[in-house]
Amino acid sequence: MPDFGAADTELDAFRAEARDWLKTHFPTSLKGKGGLMAQEGVAPSGGDYEVWRKAMGEKGWGTPTWPKAYGGGGLSPHQARVLQQEMNAIGAWNPIGGMGVMMFGPTLLEYGNEAQKSRHIPPIVRAELRWCQGFSEPGAGSDLASLQTKCEDKGDHWLVNGQKIWTSGAQWADWCFCLVRTDTSKKHEGISFLLIDMKTPGVETRPIRLISGNSPFCETFFTDVKVPKENLVGPLGGGWTIAKRLLQHERSGLSGAGGGRGAGGAALPKLAKSYLGEDGEGRISDSDLRARVASNEMEWRAFQLTALRSMAEAKSNQGPTAATSIMKNAGTRLMQERAELTLEIMGSQGLGWEGEGFSSEELGAVRSWLGGKATTIYGGSQEVQSNIISKRILGLPDPLSQS
Amino acid sequence: MAVLTEEQSMLRDAARTWTQEKSPVSAFRKMRDSGAPLGYDPAVFAEMAEMGWTGVIIPEAYGGSDFGYLSLGLILEETGRTLTASPMLATALAAASALILGGSEAQKSEWLPKIAAGEVVGTLAVDEGPHHRPEKVATKATKSGGGYTISGAKTFVLEGMAAGLMIVSARTSGAETDAKGISLFLVPADAKGVSRKALKLADSRGVANVSFDRVEVGAEALLGAEGEGHALLEKVLDRARAGLSAEMLGSAVQAFETTLDYLKTRVQFGQVIGSFQALQHRAAKMFTDLELARSCVEAALTAIDNDSPDVPELVALAKTKVGDTLHLVSNEMVQMHGGIGMTDAHDAGLYLKRARATEATFGGQSYHRDRYARMQGF
Ligand SMILES: Cc1cc2nc3c(=O)[nH]c(=O)nc-3n(C[C@H](O)[C@H](O)[C@H](O)COP(=O)(O)OP(=O)(O)OC[C@H]3O[C@@H](n4cnc5c(N)ncnc54)[C@H](O)[C@@H]3O)c2cc1C
């Protein structure tokens, strides 16, 4: 990756420091084992994983650019890039993740008050508490602003009643950042941003099974849940602005996930050769599939080049913009296509569900193919992203402007 | 819809009523969740046989009704709609076709009445790897005594656990990829040396890997002429592919209709989501593809009934067109349902999983596009 001419002595000194620190603290047994992390959002507990998480958490380098005052790394974007390079070089990976890091933390740093930041940011930095996102409701998906979960002002506390759905990780989460309705007379301006402790009486979660067989998300019910007054983030009725910002962080994170080359999976051309064979000149023997693999590889290259270009262009640390919408659709489509190609390459072996007769890679391929279908639905569906591109970037009229 | 005879219309209506009432998707789900060892409910299959569905292409002399492939296709389309799990494809379509096309009088009289009655499940055991490559046969049949000894392994045999009769391709001469030298054998599944392992696939249907360890069969087990099995097998496979295409068409039509209903009922932004043109045009595209696919499927089945020379290319066309269509529709079904489409409780996932399994069976789109091009000489 280019250094954009910032390779001054200060940066060199930091590089040496980072290399040194990583050498001392990264357990070599975990080399290249970040795949699990990418899948689960949290590294497995115990052993070297624990050691590594503690070390990174205390150093603040899992959230490298977050302020030191709240336990973050306090690094400049340049330094963070150097840190990433040094980590890549030795097969190290970031053990601090999840929705707290990806979406909630950056949003709270921007909109939270001092007390909220001091209380909630450090446990995220150290991966001690898990957060879930209580936005969607049965009747409010793409049209998120139509959400109904009621939040009443009871003087010394808020009283919350309603139902959320598709709440990822709610069954394991300690806290929920939630959108609630504090005013029924206005659509967007009647929404507020509230933090709810999942252990509060009246909070109930029911896991929902996905087509991929696992149950990573829930229906979440709030029945007369009392929430302390200080858990309101931003002004009353100001939740929509905060939510929009948070969704930008979510989307940029997701397009990044789209860039992950399929956790641990072999590259497509290699996979195709091993399942289908090759001709005398090293070409994948199925020419039709070969053309489609080539096309996906090239799209992948184009995607990567775009990621690099936008990084270079965003040199200054302004955070994600509406342009990230392009990356989400491009990245998720690319990965879904890869998953389809992987199944096709594996043939009937790629359709194994469980039990004998299949390698773990084959069993994994079918599950991630299915699970991956969600990436064009959550975080703003593919269609909603396209609407955003049409409206905000292309300046086309919005047929929904009345709502 | 092809112009149907009165009998065919009645058959289709009966099939539709029965599948909707006796075998809706919820029945498939129940079967799946019960972990039924065969991947279908034998009692349900017995009802299908009772109605004569297992004998639709079988001549009357052998206990069938000789209604032909288009008629069988009408039934398979309806079972495809509700994802009805049964060995129809393996036995009433594929195995029956093999016996009708290649069987001696004795072979037909022995097996066809049992298949027509649903007493025996027959199946093809031809593939030897993860991909459909019927010309690639390493399984060997060597002459011994008055008969043959068969050794080798077959993969992804449909209804492999339920089957009582397997039609096995084995090499009596030639190298592994030669078309010449392949012979077909009728092997009872309980023959000594046959062992099978059930496979659990994403679509929860009955499939097995089967191995043949020095299985001895008599000379009367040979189906068709020795060493000439490839041409016969291709004819059989084309009939199986055409019938499977009808089933896939049914699944695609139902996946589409369920999605269309959702577009008309799900409200976001104060209106049904079907009012968004981004979705309307995609629905229109799916409808267009479904109509094109139907023409191809019906043409292939009709060509088989007419014993017309263009069966192979029409079958390649049908399997590819309906495969592409089902691929698209099953993906759109999930996408257009949003979060609910990702849940196991919804039907979308069931159609999606079945779609990929049927796409791969008897050759996927890429296999048949290549085949089509070769038949057309380019
Ligand atoms: C695996 C998974 C995890 C999730 N995790 C969370 C979570 O942690 N927290 C949370 O709050 N939510 C979560 N969600 C919910 C997700 O954000 C919603 O599913 C998403 O917003 C879509 O809403 P919906 O499911 O109600 O679909 P709908 O909004 O009903 O959409 C149905 C279809 O209509 C299309 N559509 C809707 N509006 C338009 C339009 N104007 N123009 C064109 N097409 C349109 C959609 O794109 C979609 O194809 C998760 C979802 C999934 C699948």
mmCIF file of all heavy atoms in Angstrom, chain A residues 138-139 141-143 209 211 286 288 340 344-345 348 351 353 356 373 376 383 400, chain B residues 130-131 156 197 200 202 266 268-269 271 282 327 331 335 342-344 353 356 366 369:
data_model
loop_
_atom_site.group_PDB
_atom_site.id
_atom_site.type_symbol
_atom_site.label_atom_id
_atom_site.label_comp_id
_atom_site.label_asym_id
_atom_site.label_seq_id
_atom_site.Cartn_x
_atom_site.Cartn_y
_atom_site.Cartn_z
ATOM 1 N N PRO A 138 -40.693 -5.608 13.081
ATOM 2 C CA PRO A 138 -41.432 -6.365 12.062
ATOM 3 C C PRO A 138 -41.998 -5.469 10.958
ATOM 4 O O PRO A 138 -41.977 -5.838 9.790
ATOM 5 C CB PRO A 138 -42.547 -7.036 12.867
ATOM 6 C CG PRO A 138 -41.979 -7.195 14.237
ATOM 7 C CD PRO A 138 -41.103 -5.995 14.450
ATOM 8 N N GLY A 139 -42.475 -4.288 11.320
ATOM 9 C CA GLY A 139 -43.051 -3.410 10.304
ATOM 10 C C GLY A 139 -42.100 -2.343 9.808
ATOM 11 O O GLY A 139 -42.459 -1.524 8.971
ATOM 12 N N GLY A 141 -38.414 -2.152 8.331
ATOM 13 C CA GLY A 141 -37.147 -2.703 7.849
ATOM 14 C C GLY A 141 -36.448 -1.662 7.013
ATOM 15 O O GLY A 141 -35.752 -0.789 7.531
ATOM 16 N N SER A 142 -36.671 -1.717 5.710
ATOM 17 C CA SER A 142 -36.115 -0.690 4.827
ATOM 18 C C SER A 142 -36.648 0.677 5.235
ATOM 19 O O SER A 142 -35.927 1.669 5.201
ATOM 20 C CB SER A 142 -36.499 -0.986 3.376
ATOM 21 O OG SER A 142 -35.964 -2.222 2.980
ATOM 22 N N ASP A 143 -37.909 0.700 5.615
ATOM 23 C CA ASP A 143 -38.524 1.947 6.085
ATOM 24 C C ASP A 143 -38.340 2.020 7.598
ATOM 25 O O ASP A 143 -39.292 1.959 8.370
ATOM 26 C CB ASP A 143 -40.009 1.940 5.710
ATOM 27 C CG ASP A 143 -40.715 3.224 6.117
ATOM 28 O OD1 ASP A 143 -40.014 4.218 6.422
ATOM 29 O OD2 ASP A 143 -41.953 3.223 6.135
ATOM 30 N N ARG A 209 -33.870 -18.964 13.737
ATOM 31 C CA ARG A 209 -32.934 -19.767 12.957
ATOM 32 C C ARG A 209 -32.862 -19.254 11.519
ATOM 33 O O ARG A 209 -33.859 -18.920 10.904
ATOM 34 C CB ARG A 209 -33.374 -21.235 12.948
ATOM 35 C CG ARG A 209 -32.301 -22.156 12.470
ATOM 36 C CD ARG A 209 -32.292 -23.458 13.253
ATOM 37 N NE ARG A 209 -33.444 -24.285 12.924
ATOM 38 C CZ ARG A 209 -33.350 -25.427 12.227
ATOM 39 N NH1 ARG A 209 -32.177 -25.846 11.787
ATOM 40 N NH2 ARG A 209 -34.411 -26.137 11.988
ATOM 41 N N ILE A 211 -31.508 -19.695 7.403
ATOM 42 C CA ILE A 211 -31.481 -20.767 6.406
ATOM 43 C C ILE A 211 -30.141 -21.502 6.414
ATOM 44 O O ILE A 211 -30.052 -22.630 5.966
ATOM 45 C CB ILE A 211 -31.774 -20.237 4.978
ATOM 46 C CG1 ILE A 211 -30.783 -19.151 4.559
ATOM 47 C CG2 ILE A 211 -33.187 -19.704 4.885
ATOM 48 C CD1 ILE A 211 -30.987 -18.669 3.123
ATOM 49 N N ASP A 286 -13.417 -26.757 -17.570
ATOM 50 C CA ASP A 286 -14.764 -26.329 -17.951
ATOM 51 C C ASP A 286 -14.674 -24.871 -18.413
ATOM 52 O O ASP A 286 -14.527 -23.954 -17.614
ATOM 53 C CB ASP A 286 -15.683 -26.474 -16.721
ATOM 54 C CG ASP A 286 -17.125 -26.058 -17.005
ATOM 55 O OD1 ASP A 286 -17.343 -25.205 -17.874
ATOM 56 O OD2 ASP A 286 -18.020 -26.602 -16.327
ATOM 57 N N ASP A 288 -16.750 -22.773 -19.730
ATOM 58 C CA ASP A 288 -17.850 -21.885 -19.341
ATOM 59 C C ASP A 288 -17.624 -21.361 -17.919
ATOM 60 O O ASP A 288 -17.648 -20.155 -17.655
ATOM 61 C CB ASP A 288 -19.138 -22.723 -19.421
ATOM 62 C CG ASP A 288 -20.397 -21.926 -19.154
ATOM 63 O OD1 ASP A 288 -20.483 -21.256 -18.114
ATOM 64 O OD2 ASP A 288 -21.312 -22.013 -19.979
ATOM 65 N N GLU A 340 -21.512 -18.564 -4.950
ATOM 66 C CA GLU A 340 -22.220 -19.385 -5.940
ATOM 67 C C GLU A 340 -21.219 -20.175 -6.785
ATOM 68 O O GLU A 340 -21.407 -21.359 -7.046
ATOM 69 C CB GLU A 340 -23.069 -18.499 -6.871
ATOM 70 C CG GLU A 340 -24.270 -17.832 -6.203
ATOM 71 C CD GLU A 340 -25.458 -18.779 -6.013
ATOM 72 O OE1 GLU A 340 -25.347 -19.975 -6.340
ATOM 73 O OE2 GLU A 340 -26.507 -18.305 -5.518
ATOM 74 N N GLU A 344 -20.666 -24.247 -7.296
ATOM 75 C CA GLU A 344 -20.703 -24.847 -8.621
ATOM 76 C C GLU A 344 -19.418 -25.616 -8.893
ATOM 77 O O GLU A 344 -19.438 -26.705 -9.471
ATOM 78 C CB GLU A 344 -20.922 -23.745 -9.651
ATOM 79 C CG GLU A 344 -21.476 -24.283 -10.951
ATOM 80 C CD GLU A 344 -21.704 -23.188 -11.988
ATOM 81 O OE1 GLU A 344 -22.031 -22.052 -11.605
ATOM 82 O OE2 GLU A 344 -21.533 -23.495 -13.182
ATOM 83 N N ILE A 345 -18.314 -25.054 -8.454
ATOM 84 C CA ILE A 345 -17.029 -25.727 -8.638
ATOM 85 C C ILE A 345 -16.999 -27.043 -7.876
ATOM 86 O O ILE A 345 -16.535 -28.059 -8.375
ATOM 87 C CB ILE A 345 -15.884 -24.792 -8.170
ATOM 88 C CG1 ILE A 345 -15.666 -23.672 -9.182
ATOM 89 C CG2 ILE A 345 -14.603 -25.582 -7.932
ATOM 90 C CD1 ILE A 345 -14.784 -22.544 -8.681
ATOM 91 N N SER A 348 -21.771 -31.511 -6.547
ATOM 92 C CA SER A 348 -22.642 -32.017 -5.485
ATOM 93 C C SER A 348 -21.921 -32.073 -4.146
ATOM 94 O O SER A 348 -22.559 -32.013 -3.093
ATOM 95 C CB SER A 348 -23.175 -33.395 -5.865
ATOM 96 O OG SER A 348 -23.973 -33.293 -7.017
ATOM 97 N N LEU A 351 -22.760 -29.285 -1.839
ATOM 98 C CA LEU A 351 -24.121 -29.167 -1.311
ATOM 99 C C LEU A 351 -24.293 -29.957 -0.021
ATOM 100 O O LEU A 351 -25.395 -30.127 0.476
ATOM 101 C CB LEU A 351 -25.130 -29.646 -2.359
ATOM 102 C CG LEU A 351 -25.266 -28.691 -3.552
ATOM 103 C CD1 LEU A 351 -26.004 -29.364 -4.706
ATOM 104 C CD2 LEU A 351 -26.002 -27.423 -3.141
ATOM 105 N N TRP A 353 -24.628 -30.958 3.689
ATOM 106 C CA TRP A 353 -25.186 -30.210 4.822
ATOM 107 C C TRP A 353 -24.516 -30.590 6.131
ATOM 108 O O TRP A 353 -24.152 -29.757 6.937
ATOM 109 C CB TRP A 353 -26.692 -30.464 4.902
ATOM 110 C CG TRP A 353 -27.402 -29.603 5.886
ATOM 111 C CD1 TRP A 353 -28.021 -30.017 7.026
ATOM 112 C CD2 TRP A 353 -27.581 -28.185 5.828
ATOM 113 N NE1 TRP A 353 -28.579 -28.937 7.664
ATOM 114 C CE2 TRP A 353 -28.323 -27.802 6.962
ATOM 115 C CE3 TRP A 353 -27.176 -27.198 4.912
ATOM 116 C CZ2 TRP A 353 -28.674 -26.472 7.215
ATOM 117 C CZ3 TRP A 353 -27.524 -25.879 5.165
ATOM 118 C CH2 TRP A 353 -28.259 -25.524 6.303
ATOM 119 N N GLU A 356 -20.980 -37.430 7.298
ATOM 120 C CA GLU A 356 -19.836 -37.957 6.553
ATOM 121 C C GLU A 356 -19.940 -37.684 5.058
ATOM 122 O O GLU A 356 -21.010 -37.434 4.536
ATOM 123 C CB GLU A 356 -19.766 -39.472 6.764
ATOM 124 C CG GLU A 356 -19.188 -39.865 8.104
ATOM 125 C CD GLU A 356 -19.258 -41.371 8.292
ATOM 126 O OE1 GLU A 356 -18.809 -42.090 7.370
ATOM 127 O OE2 GLU A 356 -19.779 -41.798 9.329
ATOM 128 N N LYS A 373 -26.239 -14.646 1.802
ATOM 129 C CA LYS A 373 -27.392 -14.027 1.129
ATOM 130 C C LYS A 373 -27.909 -12.830 1.935
ATOM 131 O O LYS A 373 -28.571 -11.955 1.395
ATOM 132 C CB LYS A 373 -28.525 -15.042 0.953
ATOM 133 C CG LYS A 373 -28.207 -16.220 0.045
ATOM 134 C CD LYS A 373 -28.061 -15.807 -1.401
ATOM 135 C CE LYS A 373 -27.722 -16.998 -2.282
ATOM 136 N NZ LYS A 373 -27.106 -16.595 -3.565
ATOM 137 N N THR A 376 -26.880 -8.693 1.293
ATOM 138 C CA THR A 376 -27.557 -7.710 0.436
ATOM 139 C C THR A 376 -28.908 -7.305 1.029
ATOM 140 O O THR A 376 -29.687 -6.617 0.389
ATOM 141 C CB THR A 376 -27.777 -8.262 -0.994
ATOM 142 O OG1 THR A 376 -28.245 -9.620 -0.903
ATOM 143 C CG2 THR A 376 -26.479 -8.244 -1.777
ATOM 144 N N GLU A 383 -31.246 -2.818 -2.717
ATOM 145 C CA GLU A 383 -32.171 -1.888 -3.380
ATOM 146 C C GLU A 383 -32.126 -0.515 -2.710
ATOM 147 O O GLU A 383 -32.122 0.517 -3.389
ATOM 148 C CB GLU A 383 -33.603 -2.446 -3.332
ATOM 149 C CG GLU A 383 -33.824 -3.689 -4.185
ATOM 150 C CD GLU A 383 -33.288 -4.972 -3.557
ATOM 151 O OE1 GLU A 383 -32.893 -4.942 -2.368
ATOM 152 O OE2 GLU A 383 -33.254 -6.005 -4.240
ATOM 153 N N LEU A 400 -40.113 8.702 -3.397
ATOM 154 C CA LEU A 400 -40.674 8.485 -2.061
ATOM 155 C C LEU A 400 -40.617 9.752 -1.217
ATOM 156 O O LEU A 400 -40.766 9.699 -0.010
ATOM 157 C CB LEU A 400 -39.895 7.385 -1.343
ATOM 158 C CG LEU A 400 -40.093 5.969 -1.859
ATOM 159 C CD1 LEU A 400 -39.108 5.040 -1.182
ATOM 160 C CD2 LEU A 400 -41.512 5.520 -1.612
ATOM 161 N N PRO B 130 -17.970 -35.475 -8.013
ATOM 162 C CA PRO B 130 -18.895 -34.411 -7.612
ATOM 163 C C PRO B 130 -19.666 -33.816 -8.783
ATOM 164 O O PRO B 130 -20.658 -33.131 -8.580
ATOM 165 C CB PRO B 130 -17.982 -33.365 -6.975
ATOM 166 C CG PRO B 130 -16.631 -33.624 -7.525
ATOM 167 C CD PRO B 130 -16.561 -35.087 -7.819
ATOM 168 N N HIS B 131 -19.202 -34.067 -10.012
ATOM 169 C CA HIS B 131 -19.880 -33.499 -11.177
ATOM 170 C C HIS B 131 -20.449 -34.591 -12.068
ATOM 171 O O HIS B 131 -19.898 -35.687 -12.136
ATOM 172 C CB HIS B 131 -18.897 -32.649 -11.987
ATOM 173 C CG HIS B 131 -18.435 -31.428 -11.257
ATOM 174 N ND1 HIS B 131 -19.166 -30.265 -11.232
ATOM 175 C CD2 HIS B 131 -17.345 -31.202 -10.479
ATOM 176 C CE1 HIS B 131 -18.535 -29.370 -10.490
ATOM 177 N NE2 HIS B 131 -17.430 -29.915 -10.019
ATOM 178 N N PHE B 156 -23.521 -39.804 -5.276
ATOM 179 C CA PHE B 156 -24.753 -39.021 -5.362
ATOM 180 C C PHE B 156 -25.856 -39.755 -6.123
ATOM 181 O O PHE B 156 -26.475 -39.216 -7.033
ATOM 182 C CB PHE B 156 -24.471 -37.638 -5.962
ATOM 183 C CG PHE B 156 -23.484 -36.877 -5.137
ATOM 184 C CD1 PHE B 156 -22.136 -36.821 -5.488
ATOM 185 C CD2 PHE B 156 -23.885 -36.266 -3.964
ATOM 186 C CE1 PHE B 156 -21.222 -36.155 -4.695
ATOM 187 C CE2 PHE B 156 -22.980 -35.583 -3.166
ATOM 188 C CZ PHE B 156 -21.638 -35.538 -3.529
ATOM 189 N N LYS B 197 -23.836 -45.530 1.577
ATOM 190 C CA LYS B 197 -23.730 -44.557 2.670
ATOM 191 C C LYS B 197 -24.635 -43.384 2.361
ATOM 192 O O LYS B 197 -24.497 -42.743 1.334
ATOM 193 C CB LYS B 197 -22.289 -44.033 2.733
ATOM 194 C CG LYS B 197 -21.439 -44.712 3.766
ATOM 195 C CD LYS B 197 -20.421 -43.754 4.367
ATOM 196 C CE LYS B 197 -19.690 -44.419 5.512
ATOM 197 N NZ LYS B 197 -18.559 -45.247 5.032
ATOM 198 N N LYS B 200 -26.048 -36.466 3.603
ATOM 199 C CA LYS B 200 -26.995 -35.420 3.992
ATOM 200 C C LYS B 200 -26.691 -34.157 3.217
ATOM 201 O O LYS B 200 -25.718 -33.464 3.499
ATOM 202 C CB LYS B 200 -26.906 -35.168 5.494
ATOM 203 C CG LYS B 200 -27.486 -36.321 6.273
ATOM 204 C CD LYS B 200 -27.727 -35.944 7.708
ATOM 205 C CE LYS B 200 -28.512 -37.046 8.406
ATOM 206 N NZ LYS B 200 -28.196 -37.106 9.827
ATOM 207 N N ALA B 202 -27.953 -30.363 1.436
ATOM 208 C CA ALA B 202 -28.700 -29.179 1.884
ATOM 209 C C ALA B 202 -30.193 -29.280 1.590
ATOM 210 O O ALA B 202 -30.999 -28.686 2.290
ATOM 211 C CB ALA B 202 -28.120 -27.929 1.222
ATOM 212 N N ARG B 266 -46.500 -6.876 1.324
ATOM 213 C CA ARG B 266 -45.570 -6.250 2.262
ATOM 214 C C ARG B 266 -45.550 -4.733 2.068
ATOM 215 O O ARG B 266 -45.298 -4.254 0.963
ATOM 216 C CB ARG B 266 -44.158 -6.827 2.054
ATOM 217 C CG ARG B 266 -43.042 -6.112 2.791
ATOM 218 C CD ARG B 266 -43.134 -6.302 4.281
ATOM 219 N NE ARG B 266 -41.954 -5.780 4.972
ATOM 220 C CZ ARG B 266 -41.893 -5.631 6.288
ATOM 221 N NH1 ARG B 266 -42.921 -5.974 7.059
ATOM 222 N NH2 ARG B 266 -40.804 -5.158 6.858
ATOM 223 N N GLN B 268 -43.935 -1.075 3.008
ATOM 224 C CA GLN B 268 -42.865 -0.231 3.541
ATOM 225 C C GLN B 268 -43.027 1.138 2.898
ATOM 226 O O GLN B 268 -43.495 1.229 1.761
ATOM 227 C CB GLN B 268 -41.486 -0.806 3.187
ATOM 228 C CG GLN B 268 -41.101 -2.053 3.988
ATOM 229 C CD GLN B 268 -40.801 -1.764 5.456
ATOM 230 O OE1 GLN B 268 -39.712 -1.382 5.833
ATOM 231 N NE2 GLN B 268 -41.816 -1.926 6.305
ATOM 232 N N PHE B 269 -42.656 2.179 3.595
ATOM 233 C CA PHE B 269 -42.805 3.552 3.106
ATOM 234 C C PHE B 269 -44.266 3.830 2.729
ATOM 235 O O PHE B 269 -44.545 4.503 1.722
ATOM 236 C CB PHE B 269 -41.895 3.810 1.890
ATOM 237 C CG PHE B 269 -40.436 3.547 2.164
ATOM 238 C CD1 PHE B 269 -39.845 2.358 1.750
ATOM 239 C CD2 PHE B 269 -39.663 4.483 2.842
ATOM 240 C CE1 PHE B 269 -38.507 2.102 2.000
ATOM 241 C CE2 PHE B 269 -38.313 4.239 3.090
ATOM 242 C CZ PHE B 269 -37.738 3.045 2.674
ATOM 243 N N GLN B 271 -46.480 2.000 1.308
ATOM 244 C CA GLN B 271 -47.035 1.380 0.101
ATOM 245 C C GLN B 271 -46.523 -0.052 -0.030
ATOM 246 O O GLN B 271 -45.521 -0.406 0.586
ATOM 247 C CB GLN B 271 -46.665 2.186 -1.132
ATOM 248 C CG GLN B 271 -45.191 2.546 -1.203
ATOM 249 C CD GLN B 271 -44.929 3.696 -2.165
ATOM 250 O OE1 GLN B 271 -45.049 3.534 -3.368
ATOM 251 N NE2 GLN B 271 -44.574 4.856 -1.654
ATOM 252 N N ARG B 282 -37.863 -6.406 -12.111
ATOM 253 C CA ARG B 282 -37.243 -7.718 -11.865
ATOM 254 C C ARG B 282 -38.301 -8.812 -11.848
ATOM 255 O O ARG B 282 -38.053 -9.932 -12.291
ATOM 256 C CB ARG B 282 -36.430 -7.685 -10.579
ATOM 257 C CG ARG B 282 -35.011 -7.143 -10.855
ATOM 258 C CD ARG B 282 -34.409 -6.462 -9.667
ATOM 259 N NE ARG B 282 -34.318 -7.329 -8.518
ATOM 260 C CZ ARG B 282 -34.045 -6.892 -7.286
ATOM 261 N NH1 ARG B 282 -33.834 -5.599 -7.083
ATOM 262 N NH2 ARG B 282 -33.967 -7.726 -6.282
ATOM 263 N N HIS B 327 -32.372 -20.624 -10.774
ATOM 264 C CA HIS B 327 -31.259 -19.995 -10.055
ATOM 265 C C HIS B 327 -31.630 -18.547 -9.714
ATOM 266 O O HIS B 327 -31.544 -18.118 -8.569
ATOM 267 C CB HIS B 327 -30.012 -20.045 -10.943
ATOM 268 C CG HIS B 327 -28.753 -19.659 -10.244
ATOM 269 N ND1 HIS B 327 -27.874 -20.582 -9.733
ATOM 270 C CD2 HIS B 327 -28.217 -18.453 -9.966
ATOM 271 C CE1 HIS B 327 -26.856 -19.946 -9.165
ATOM 272 N NE2 HIS B 327 -27.037 -18.655 -9.294
ATOM 273 N N ASN B 331 -32.886 -17.007 -5.905
ATOM 274 C CA ASN B 331 -32.143 -15.914 -5.265
ATOM 275 C C ASN B 331 -33.039 -14.705 -5.008
ATOM 276 O O ASN B 331 -32.998 -14.100 -3.933
ATOM 277 C CB ASN B 331 -30.968 -15.476 -6.148
ATOM 278 C CG ASN B 331 -29.736 -16.339 -5.934
ATOM 279 O OD1 ASN B 331 -29.592 -16.987 -4.899
ATOM 280 N ND2 ASN B 331 -28.858 -16.365 -6.912
ATOM 281 N N GLN B 335 -34.050 -12.477 -1.632
ATOM 282 C CA GLN B 335 -33.753 -11.044 -1.606
ATOM 283 C C GLN B 335 -35.015 -10.199 -1.446
ATOM 284 O O GLN B 335 -35.054 -9.265 -0.646
ATOM 285 C CB GLN B 335 -33.001 -10.656 -2.894
ATOM 286 C CG GLN B 335 -32.631 -9.183 -3.002
ATOM 287 C CD GLN B 335 -31.624 -8.749 -1.942
ATOM 288 O OE1 GLN B 335 -30.842 -9.560 -1.451
ATOM 289 N NE2 GLN B 335 -31.646 -7.472 -1.591
ATOM 290 N N MET B 342 -34.586 -14.886 4.970
ATOM 291 C CA MET B 342 -33.358 -15.512 5.475
ATOM 292 C C MET B 342 -33.639 -16.503 6.598
ATOM 293 O O MET B 342 -32.735 -17.183 7.069
ATOM 294 C CB MET B 342 -32.401 -14.440 6.020
ATOM 295 C CG MET B 342 -31.596 -13.695 4.972
ATOM 296 S SD MET B 342 -30.566 -14.771 3.949
ATOM 297 C CE MET B 342 -29.412 -15.441 5.163
ATOM 298 N N THR B 343 -34.891 -16.554 7.061
ATOM 299 C CA THR B 343 -35.169 -17.408 8.209
ATOM 300 C C THR B 343 -35.543 -18.817 7.769
ATOM 301 O O THR B 343 -36.178 -19.016 6.735
ATOM 302 C CB THR B 343 -36.335 -16.845 9.060
ATOM 303 O OG1 THR B 343 -37.532 -16.848 8.265
ATOM 304 C CG2 THR B 343 -36.039 -15.432 9.513
ATOM 305 N N ASP B 344 -35.168 -19.759 8.596
ATOM 306 C CA ASP B 344 -35.480 -21.145 8.302
ATOM 307 C C ASP B 344 -36.982 -21.398 8.318
ATOM 308 O O ASP B 344 -37.478 -22.300 7.652
ATOM 309 C CB ASP B 344 -34.776 -22.065 9.311
ATOM 310 C CG ASP B 344 -34.958 -23.520 8.951
ATOM 311 O OD1 ASP B 344 -34.401 -23.931 7.915
ATOM 312 O OD2 ASP B 344 -35.680 -24.232 9.673
ATOM 313 N N LYS B 353 -32.294 -24.101 -1.595
ATOM 314 C CA LYS B 353 -31.460 -25.296 -1.445
ATOM 315 C C LYS B 353 -31.825 -26.349 -2.485
ATOM 316 O O LYS B 353 -30.956 -26.980 -3.085
ATOM 317 C CB LYS B 353 -31.624 -25.866 -0.034
ATOM 318 C CG LYS B 353 -31.041 -24.964 1.046
ATOM 319 C CD LYS B 353 -31.482 -25.405 2.434
ATOM 320 C CE LYS B 353 -31.084 -24.360 3.473
ATOM 321 N NZ LYS B 353 -31.638 -24.657 4.794
ATOM 322 N N ARG B 356 -30.374 -25.451 -6.051
ATOM 323 C CA ARG B 356 -28.989 -25.770 -6.389
ATOM 324 C C ARG B 356 -28.776 -27.267 -6.555
ATOM 325 O O ARG B 356 -27.971 -27.704 -7.364
ATOM 326 C CB ARG B 356 -28.036 -25.215 -5.330
ATOM 327 C CG ARG B 356 -27.991 -23.702 -5.241
ATOM 328 C CD ARG B 356 -27.657 -23.019 -6.564
ATOM 329 N NE ARG B 356 -27.770 -21.568 -6.409
ATOM 330 C CZ ARG B 356 -28.938 -20.913 -6.533
ATOM 331 N NH1 ARG B 356 -30.043 -21.542 -6.877
ATOM 332 N NH2 ARG B 356 -28.974 -19.606 -6.338
ATOM 333 N N SER B 366 -23.754 -25.123 -17.123
ATOM 334 C CA SER B 366 -22.512 -25.016 -17.882
ATOM 335 C C SER B 366 -22.267 -26.305 -18.679
ATOM 336 O O SER B 366 -21.834 -26.271 -19.837
ATOM 337 C CB SER B 366 -21.387 -24.664 -16.912
ATOM 338 O OG SER B 366 -20.303 -25.503 -17.036
ATOM 339 N N ARG B 369 -24.790 -26.192 -21.627
ATOM 340 C CA ARG B 369 -24.456 -25.180 -22.634
ATOM 341 C C ARG B 369 -23.351 -25.717 -23.535
ATOM 342 O O ARG B 369 -23.402 -25.589 -24.754
ATOM 343 C CB ARG B 369 -23.982 -23.881 -21.969
ATOM 344 C CG ARG B 369 -25.095 -22.877 -21.749
ATOM 345 C CD ARG B 369 -24.536 -21.501 -21.406
ATOM 346 N NE ARG B 369 -23.822 -21.527 -20.140
ATOM 347 C CZ ARG B 369 -24.388 -21.204 -18.967
ATOM 348 N NH1 ARG B 369 -25.644 -20.827 -18.919
ATOM 349 N NH2 ARG B 369 -23.687 -21.244 -17.862
#
